[in-house]
Amino acid sequence: MSAPLDLGTVGRTLQRLVERDGRPLVLRDAATGLDHRLPASLVAAPEGLMPNFLAAANVVWRAATGRHLGIEQERDPEALLGYRVKGIRGEPFSVVMLSAMEAIGRSGTPKALLVNDFDALWHQLRPLGASSSGKTAPGRAQGPTP
């Protein structure tokens, strides 16, 4: 296990990855179906979109290795989507960022990086040992671990 990562550095780098991606960051309101364009700065905030991006990165890393990134999150009713990142204590910075880059690249459409599409990513990347029928292997949870 590596030393805890600096959340400020992680957040700034995630924001740069989203900005470099070039697609607008969008959140679709499930109740209305309306798309809301969001500033990339929300990705840098532990109480903003950082939990979602890191959960998606965790799914990528877990699918590839069977291990978790060591992301510590907690429920927070004041956070944008209900979760806050408290720390990252599992893998090196490079592994977290490469996993996030892969998650970003696999999500959205050519016209937008839709935050809601991380759900599809969680379903595409079955855990190691999962059958091709889409069923999860015994004892393995599917989806993000907040």
Side-chain angles (χ1 to χ4, degrees):
M1 184 180 289
S2 59
L5 300 181
D6 177 71
L7 292 182
T9 302
V10 169
R12 286 187 301 276
T13 306
L14 284 172
Q15 179 177 342
R16 283 192 210 114
L17 289 174
V18 169
E19 290 168 346
R20 183 178 292 170
D21 178 74
R23 295 176 289 171
L25 185 61
V26 174
L27 180 66
R28 180 164 292 141
D29 183 333
T32 65
L34 295 175
D35 289 344
H36 301 278
R37 190 168 179 164
L38 304 172
S41 60
L42 284 176
V43 178
E47 72 286 354
L49 292 176
M50 184 189 289
N52 300 73
F53 277 78
L54 291 178
N58 189 59
V59 169
V60 168
W61 185 242
R62 190 177 66 207
T65 68
R67 297 191 319 259
H68 290 272
L69 292 173
I71 300 161
E72 299 170 3
Q73 296 188 29
E74 65 182 5
R75 286 190 182 273
D76 180 352
E78 300 297 318
L80 181 65
L81 296 176
Y83 284 91
R84 165 186 299 278
V85 176
K86 289 180 60 178
I88 306 170
R89 302 180 192 282
E91 299 293 339
F93 178 81
S94 58
V95 168
V96 174
M97 288 304 113
L98 287 170
S99 299
M101 289 170 66
E102 181 67 15
I104 291 167
R106 287 177 173 258
S107 300
T109 68
K111 294 183 179 184
L113 178 53
L114 186 64
V115 175
N116 308 68
D117 277 358
F118 287 142
D119 183 54
L121 176 69
W122 297 325
H123 294 291
Q124 288 170 5
L125 297 176
R126 291 181 294 277
L128 294 174
S131 69
S132 60
S133 68
K135 294 186 179 183
T136 307
R140 299 212 184 221
Q142 190 169 11
T145 305

